[in-house]
Amino acid sequence: MCQCDKKFFRVRVRRGNYSAFNGYKFTSSDYSALHCLRCGDEWRTKAEYVRKTPDLREAEYEAARDLRQINQIYYVQETIY
Ligand SMILES: [Zn+2]
């Protein structure tokens, strides 16, 4: 997981996974897939804070991705010039 504030964390898949091993069907698990809206990090955890973390909404995910792309463009430009 990243070092961002927990308020940026969202649950992408709660208590389970879609693994290639079972044909991408949902399989229940203790672990949830987390996503950070701020930096785009993804990780799996069964930590206690998952219970208090909201589900990731599609619109939120898209908006955050656009924002990261803009940030990356700025970063590249700053590096070049
Ligand atoms: Zn982050």
Side-chain angles (χ1 to χ4, degrees):
M1 70 183 266
C2 60
Q3 300 300 310
C4 301
D5 194 291
K6 281 191 174 63
K7 71 183 177 192
F8 295 110
F9 295 178
R10 295 292 183 274
V11 180
R12 213 152 64 80
V13 184
R14 196 174 289 275
R15 293 185 64 87
N17 61 72
Y18 297 91
S19 160
F21 293 111
N22 46 54
Y24 298 104
K25 284 201 286 278
F26 182 78
T27 306
S28 186
S29 158
D30 285 344
Y31 285 83
S32 298
L34 276 282
H35 175 84
C36 175
L37 289 174
R38 186 162 174 269
C39 72
D41 197 13
E42 306 248 343
W43 67 97
R44 299 180 57 74
T45 181
K46 54 177 186 176
E48 183 63 21
Y49 65 79
V50 173
R51 267 195 322 123
K52 293 176 231 158
T53 305
D55 287 329
L56 177 65
R57 289 179 295 126
E58 192 67 29
E60 216 172 29
Y61 184 71
E62 297 295 326
R65 192 178 58 188
D66 292 346
L67 189 68
R68 272 197 309 280
Q69 278 172 354
I70 290 165
N71 287 340
Q72 275 166 7
I73 290 163
Y74 281 141
Y75 177 73
V76 169
Q77 284 176 344
E78 281 170 14
T79 309
I80 292 167
Y81 303 111

